[in-house]
């Protein structure tokens, strides 16, 4: 009868707890199912169009849908040991030419079927890159190379010394962050090739998205630099304000043989030779003197040191005075000085000396012999020339020659075209869909990242429910394993819903309980429930340690 009474009490108490828990469980399960449905419907679905749909025959185009092997020539120079790969762009079915290793030099060449003139109408140079692992230090530019038979180079020996007509593309390392546009031009008088750099080039995007770079060379001497189809910089080949050094050299230059005369005086001011130091000028007067009007503060503790030996310090037991020397206790701030205005010997403070004047120097006067800053005289520039339009060397090959600390750099859709509209159609067909899909995926991941935190915080709170205490460690370990792979949060949500439902079902409807021995040697469900709350003597420290470990795991995961 006594046992039956206790069993009824326990069953009644269990029914009350279950009635309190049911609304929370229903809300939580509905939340999990709803958020799972939202996540599943928010995953972007996309497909990438092919450039084959563009109705044109470009001067040159390589989509890298086929392997580069047999078409591109990898440099055999010793320094260039980076391995090129034919690889898909992450998240797409579109292939590209991949920089596969970090901290390597790479060089590869594609010979054109025929040399391309840059002097006949509009020329568009365009290509895509993607820094799949981000960009901290590396280049992703192309070199448009001069003819082999004229410039004297070999594709298998391609290096940074190989002559080019134009270098174009992004480069970022340290303080450098720019989209290069450099052209080499032959001085028709001297025969020397001069490298001309576009001034103030635009910065290069350094995210993990696909970007397309376009340089448009126009017959009116204008060059436009586009990033993702948007004009970022415009310049004129003939203007000194746009390129450094200027394409057209100066008409005159400083005479290299002209020398500054020995008696040439460039000093605008000189010390006054007639000035004398005043009689009352004391150069030895100190900068600071004691403040004679200062008075020692009341309560100053003259006999108390600022620091005292730590009374709580004790010599270590293993201290050996023969080896370690005489032991001295460490010092601490004297506590008596904390409330007093000061301790130890009081001294008058210093103040600035009103009589201080410092070292005397004669005043400066205008130099009567001043002739100005000397410059060599100008002479006519023997290498001066005039042009109405740059005389670019034809390009016969496209080369990628870079040194990079990054891997994962992907080159794609390299195009040479003479029609801006056609180049734009390639951008819209090959680059735009990829970029939009990557932006949408990035947005979804950012939203999911914030959503994940809310979900995992809620899951941790489930582990804090008192009557789930016996399952706390398993719940926390399950949530932690899900956080190690946040991209599979949807699966974690579904699994969490199932696991939570199973646990709650067992608790509500009398599922199998842990076997707990009573004092009579029997397994009793009421005793098991009671032990789940309090624990037998000797088991409480272990349960407390388990709960504390779970709390620490949860705190550490929340901090990250």
């Amino acid at each position: 009868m006594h046992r039956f009474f206790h069993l009824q009490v326990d069953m009644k108490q269990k029914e009350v707890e279950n009635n309190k828990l049911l609304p929370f469980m229903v809300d939580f399960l509905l939340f999990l199912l709803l958020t799972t449905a939202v996540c599943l419907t928010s995953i972007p679905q996309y497909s990438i169009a092919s450039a084959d749909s563009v109705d044109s025959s470009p001067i040159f185009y390589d989509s890298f849908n086929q392997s580069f092997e047999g078409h591109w020539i990898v440099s055999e120079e010793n320094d260039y040991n980076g391995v090129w790969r034919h690889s898909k762009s992450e998240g797409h079915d579109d292939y590209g030419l991949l920089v596969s290793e970090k901290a390597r030099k790479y060089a590869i060449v594609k010979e054109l079927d025929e040399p391309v003139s840059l002097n006949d109408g509009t020329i568009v140079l365009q290509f895509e890159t993607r820094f799949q692992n981000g960009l901290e230090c590396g280049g992703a530019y192309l070199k448009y190379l001069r003819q082999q038979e004229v410039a004297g180079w070999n594709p298998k020996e391609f290096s940074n010394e190989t002559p080019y007509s134009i270098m174009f593309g992004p480069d970022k390392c340290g303080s450098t962050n720019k989209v290069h546009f450099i052209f080499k031009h032959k001085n028709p008088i001297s025969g020397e090739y001069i490298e001309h750099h576009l001034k103030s080039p635009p910065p290069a995007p350094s995210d993990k998205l696909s970007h397309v770079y376009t340089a448009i060379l126009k017959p009116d001497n204008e060059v436009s630099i586009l990033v993702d189809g948007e004009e970022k910089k415009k310049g004129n080949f003939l203007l000194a304000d746009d390129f450094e050094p200027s394409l057209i050299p100066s008409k005159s230059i400083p005479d290299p043989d002209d020398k500054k005369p020995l008696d040439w005086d460039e000093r605008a001011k000189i010390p006054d030779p007639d000035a004398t130091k005043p009689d009352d000028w004391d150069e030895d007067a100190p900068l600071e003197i004691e403040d004679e009007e200062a008075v020692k503060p009341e309560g100053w503790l003259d006999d108390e040191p600022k620091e005292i030996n730590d009374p709580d310090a004790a010599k270590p037991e293993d201290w050996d005075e023969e080896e370690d020397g005489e032991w001295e206790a460490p010092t601490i701030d004297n506590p008596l000085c904390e409330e007093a205005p000061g301790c130890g010997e009081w001294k008058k403070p210093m103040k600035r000396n009103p009589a201080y004047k410092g070292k005397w120097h004669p005043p400066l006067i205008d130099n009567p012999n001043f002739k100005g800053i000397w410059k060599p005289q100008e002479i006519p520039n023997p290498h001066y020339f005039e042009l109405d339009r740059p005389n670019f060397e034809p390009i016969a090959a496209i080369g990628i020659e870079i040194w990079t600390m990054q891997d994962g750099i992907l080159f794609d859709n390299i195009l040479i075209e003479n029609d801006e509209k056609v180049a734009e159609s390639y951008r819209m067909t090959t680059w735009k869909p990829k970029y939009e899909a990557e932006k949408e995926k990035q947005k979804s991941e950012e939203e999911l990242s914030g959503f994940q935190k809310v979900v995992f915080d809620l899951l941790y709170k489930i582990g804090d429910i008192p009557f789930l205490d016996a399952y706390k460690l398993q719940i926390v370990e399950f949530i932690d394993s899900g956080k190690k792979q946040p991209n599979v949060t949807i699966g974690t949500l579904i699994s969490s819903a199932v696991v939570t439902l199973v646990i709650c079902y067992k608790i509500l409807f009398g599922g199998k309980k842990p076997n707990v021995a009573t004092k009579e040697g029997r397994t009793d469900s009421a005793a098991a429930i009671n032990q789940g709350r309090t624990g037998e003597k000797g088991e409480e420290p272990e349960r407390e340690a388990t709960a504390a470990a779970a709390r620490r795991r949860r705190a550490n995961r929340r901090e990250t």
Side-chain angles (χ1 to χ4, degrees):
M1 184 69 181
H2 179 73
R3 181 182 176 191
F4 177 77
F5 173 76
H6 277 288
L7 183 59
Q8 280 189 321
V9 171
D10 287 341
M11 292 178 65
K12 186 67 175 178
Q13 183 175 0
K14 179 179 179 182
E15 180 180 358
V16 171
E17 291 178 351
N18 291 341
N19 289 336
K20 291 181 180 179
L21 179 64
L22 275 172
F24 171 81
M25 292 193 322
V26 172
D27 290 343
F28 175 65
L29 292 174
L30 286 174
F31 170 78
L32 287 176
L33 294 174
L34 177 61
T35 51
T36 301
V38 171
C39 289
L40 289 172
T41 57
S42 65
I43 298 176
Q45 304 293 327
Y46 54 85
S47 60
I48 304 302
S50 169
D52 296 339
S53 61
V54 179
D55 185 17
S56 70
S57 297
I59 297 173
F60 172 80
Y61 176 66
D62 195 339
S63 66
F64 294 101
N65 287 335
Q66 303 298 323
S67 174
F68 65 91
E69 296 180 358
H71 303 282
W72 290 70
I73 302 172
V74 177
S75 175
E76 297 178 359
E77 290 290 291
N78 293 333
D79 289 344
Y80 298 91
N81 55 3
V83 177
W84 296 95
R85 303 285 187 197
H86 184 237
S87 176
K88 285 185 179 181
S89 180
E90 185 178 331
H92 306 292
D93 290 330
D94 187 45
Y95 282 86
L97 182 63
L98 181 69
V99 170
S100 65
E101 298 176 302
K102 297 180 180 180
R104 293 285 189 272
K105 288 185 177 182
Y106 292 80
I108 193 170
V109 174
K110 169 63 178 177
E111 296 180 272
L112 305 181
D113 293 338
E114 295 181 1
V116 176
S117 172
L118 302 177
N119 300 321
D120 300 330
T122 297
I123 288 292
V124 182
L125 308 175
Q126 183 169 286
F127 67 99
E128 297 174 22
T129 62
R130 186 181 183 189
F131 305 125
Q132 297 183 122
N133 298 326
L135 180 64
E136 295 178 0
C137 185
Y141 40 79
L142 269 57
K143 290 183 176 181
Y144 299 85
L145 308 173
R146 290 158 48 196
Q147 293 173 281
Q148 297 179 45
E149 58 272 20
V150 176
W153 63 277
N154 186 310
K156 293 184 178 181
E157 298 173 356
F158 177 45
S159 70
N160 65 329
E161 300 296 329
T162 303
Y164 64 85
S165 286
I166 290 176
M167 177 175 137
F168 170 55
D171 187 20
K172 181 178 183 294
C173 193
S175 60
T176 298
N177 182 12
K178 64 180 72 174
V179 179
H180 288 290
F181 185 86
I182 305 169
F183 72 93
K184 283 190 175 183
H185 191 273
K186 182 179 179 180
N187 184 304
I189 306 299
S190 67
E192 181 184 6
Y193 283 89
I194 307 296
E195 205 173 78
H196 303 275
H197 294 245
L198 179 66
K199 291 183 178 180
S200 303
S206 56
D207 54 34
K208 299 181 180 180
L209 307 178
S210 296
H211 295 283
V212 57
Y213 299 89
T214 310
I216 305 173
L217 288 67
K218 301 180 181 179
D220 61 356
N221 297 322
E222 185 178 274
V223 58
S224 296
I225 306 300
L226 283 61
V227 179
D228 296 343
E230 180 181 350
E231 185 176 82
K232 297 294 186 179
K233 179 71 177 180
K234 182 184 292 186
N236 189 298
F237 289 115
L238 302 183
L239 296 183
D241 291 340
D242 293 337
F243 282 90
E244 176 65 33
S246 173
L247 175 64
I248 306 299
S250 301
K251 289 185 177 182
S252 62
I253 60 172
D255 184 356
D257 298 324
D258 194 12
K259 305 297 181 183
K260 182 173 69 173
L262 296 177
D263 61 349
W264 191 279
D265 196 338
E266 294 183 323
R267 297 175 300 166
K269 297 282 186 179
I270 61 171
D272 185 355
D274 298 327
T276 57
K277 183 174 69 174
D279 294 336
D280 61 347
W281 192 287
D282 186 0
E283 291 185 331
D284 298 326
L287 176 63
E288 292 183 331
I289 59 174
E290 284 188 351
D291 185 359
E292 297 295 340
E293 298 178 356
V295 178
K296 181 170 67 174
E298 185 177 353
W300 188 280
L301 304 178
D302 297 83
D303 299 328
E304 288 291 339
K306 294 181 180 180
E307 292 184 339
I308 61 173
N309 291 336
D310 186 355
D312 297 328
K315 183 171 67 173
E317 295 181 357
D318 59 348
W319 188 275
D320 188 337
E321 292 193 355
E322 292 184 0
E323 294 185 2
D324 302 325
E326 183 180 357
W327 182 81
E328 295 181 358
T331 59
I332 60 173
D333 293 336
N334 189 343
L336 297 177
C337 299
E338 293 181 1
E339 299 181 359
C343 291
E345 180 185 0
W346 181 81
K347 295 181 180 180
K348 292 182 179 181
M350 304 295 287
K351 69 175 185 178
R352 185 173 179 83
N353 182 7
Y356 173 77
K357 293 184 179 181
K359 185 73 175 176
W360 181 84
H361 297 282
L364 296 177
I365 61 172
D366 292 335
N367 182 5
N369 298 319
F370 175 64
K371 294 183 179 181
I373 303 300
W374 182 86
K375 294 181 180 179
Q377 63 179 349
E378 294 284 317
I379 61 173
N381 185 357
H383 297 153
Y384 173 76
F385 65 89
E386 293 183 1
L387 282 177
D388 294 331
R389 177 167 169 74
N391 184 22
F392 293 107
E393 297 280 346
I395 57 177
I398 298 173
I400 306 174
E401 184 273 317
I402 57 175
W403 178 84
T404 177
M405 296 302 294
Q406 306 294 135
D407 59 352
I409 301 176
L410 193 77
F411 292 86
D412 199 6
N413 295 311
I414 299 176
L415 172 72
I416 301 177
E417 175 58 52
N418 54 18
D419 189 328
E420 295 180 52
K421 294 296 184 181
V422 172
E424 180 182 5
S425 68
Y426 272 86
R427 287 197 302 271
M428 299 304 293
T429 304
T430 63
W431 165 77
K432 188 71 170 180
K434 285 188 294 189
Y435 179 76
E436 294 295 340
E438 291 159 11
K439 285 284 288 185
E440 185 65 26
K441 181 181 178 183
Q442 183 184 63
K443 180 181 178 182
S444 299
E445 288 176 349
E446 290 173 353
E447 292 175 351
L448 184 60
S449 178
F451 169 73
Q452 287 170 354
K453 185 178 186 304
V454 174
V455 172
F456 282 117
D457 286 347
L458 181 58
L459 292 176
Y460 280 124
K461 290 179 181 179
I462 299 300
D464 289 334
I465 298 176
F467 81 81
L468 291 178
D469 193 54
Y471 302 93
K472 180 186 290 289
L473 187 59
Q474 294 94 320
I475 292 173
V476 172
E477 288 179 347
F478 175 76
I479 298 171
D480 288 347
S481 65
K483 290 191 71 175
K484 292 178 181 178
Q485 300 184 43
N487 291 333
V488 296
T489 302
I490 295 174
T492 302
L493 288 173
I494 297 173
S495 302
S496 300
V498 173
V499 171
T500 304
L501 185 61
V502 171
I503 293 175
C504 295
Y505 178 83
K506 287 184 177 182
I507 295 173
L508 286 174
F509 302 106
K512 185 178 180 180
K513 308 295 188 302
N515 292 332
V516 182
T518 63
K519 291 184 179 180
E520 291 80 12
R522 298 187 303 273
T523 58
D524 186 80
S525 60
I529 294 173
N530 187 58
Q531 179 154 336
R533 296 195 187 100
T534 60
E536 291 293 333
K537 183 177 181 181
E539 295 178 356
E540 188 64 27
E542 180 179 355
R543 290 177 51 75
E544 284 296 324
T546 301
R551 287 195 295 271
R552 285 195 298 271
R553 287 173 176 265
R554 185 175 68 255
N556 291 337
R557 295 304 184 272
R558 284 177 176 172
E559 289 176 359
T560 57

